Amino acid sequence: MSSVIALRRAALVLVAAAGFFLLTHAHAQAQWWKRAPVDFEECADAAEKAATKSEKTSALADCNAKFAGRRKAGGGYSYYDFLQDRTFDIAGPNPTPEEQKKIDAAYTAYLAKERGSNEAAEAAARQQREQQELQARQLQQVALRTDVARVPVPVERPKVQQTVGQRPKGACTKGSFSCEWPRLSESLNDLKKLFNPTPSKPAKKG
């Protein structure tokens, strides 16, 4: 009986060991199929198999954060820098430190070029404003000269030549003493002639 029990125990140990081996092997195979994705495309394919839409969206965001590069049709990967609106060729799914230095250097050159373009545009706009202001001043000066030419120059009134002792015409007001006195003086002289006739000279005796 003891030998039978010993054999049964040995058999149970073998079965348990075989079961553990099979489970370990199956788990290893499952881990191989669930290995980490190597690039964005592989990660995105796995994300598409998510059970819900929210899980799929979260998985795709995680893929985008892990992998900056995208597969190229002819092999290799490309990296898109939205700051420069430019694509760079890279060897793997993410830029290497050396590749990242080149991308940063290109961005520095891009900024310098943009700054130069902006300064040139500002200089051109400033020059155009100055020309417009100069033209406006010139037009204003022409308009002022034209207005001055249209205003008539005042002409000096001709001087009335007066004889000595002659009263200028229109120099007195009708009915005033200065205008009536010459006529009164002539009337008085006529009266004096009537009352005081001039004596005639005696005729010379022959």
Side-chain angles (χ1 to χ4, degrees), residues 6-196:
L7 289 173
R8 183 178 293 179
R9 286 179 179 177
L12 288 175
V13 170
L14 290 174
V15 170
F20 179 77
F21 175 77
L22 291 173
L23 288 174
T24 303
H25 183 69
H27 182 70
Q29 287 183 337
Q31 288 294 325
W32 182 82
W33 285 109
K34 293 181 180 180
R35 65 182 175 80
V38 297
D39 57 15
F40 175 82
E41 285 73 19
E42 191 173 305
C43 184
D45 291 340
E48 289 293 332
K49 299 175 183 178
T52 63
K53 185 177 181 179
S54 60
E55 290 178 356
K56 183 187 298 185
T57 302
S58 177
L60 285 173
D62 187 51
C63 294
N64 193 54
K66 287 181 178 179
F67 303 104
R70 299 294 183 268
R71 286 182 191 173
K72 292 172 61 178
Y77 295 87
S78 63
Y79 170 77
Y80 173 73
D81 187 359
F82 68 93
L83 294 175
Q84 306 179 56
D85 191 19
R86 178 182 173 185
T87 302
F88 297 86
D89 291 336
I90 55 178
N94 286 307
T96 64
E98 190 65 27
E99 290 171 340
Q100 190 63 51
K101 287 181 180 179
K102 292 180 180 180
I103 294 171
D104 294 341
Y107 181 61
T108 302
Y110 169 80
L111 289 178
K113 184 179 179 180
E114 286 293 312
R115 185 164 49 250
S117 299
N118 292 336
E119 291 176 355
E122 291 177 358
R126 184 168 55 252
Q127 184 178 4
Q128 184 177 6
R129 287 195 301 269
E130 292 175 354
Q131 290 179 352
Q132 291 176 350
E133 292 175 357
L134 178 61
Q135 291 177 356
R137 288 195 297 269
Q138 290 175 348
L139 290 174
Q140 187 177 7
Q141 292 175 357
V142 171
L144 290 174
R145 286 198 296 268
T146 303
D147 292 340
V148 170
R150 290 176 180 173
V151 175
V153 179
V155 179
E156 185 179 0
R157 295 178 62 182
K159 295 181 180 180
V160 179
Q161 295 181 355
Q162 300 179 3
T163 56
V164 178
Q166 182 179 0
R167 185 183 299 276
K169 294 182 180 180
C172 64
T173 305
K174 185 177 181 181
S176 64
F177 180 77
S178 60
C179 287
E180 298 296 332
W181 172 249
R183 290 194 293 272
L184 292 173
S185 178
E186 292 176 0
S187 300
L188 290 173
N189 289 332
D190 292 339
L191 290 174
K192 286 180 180 179
K193 290 179 181 179
L194 290 175
F195 291 103
N196 298 314

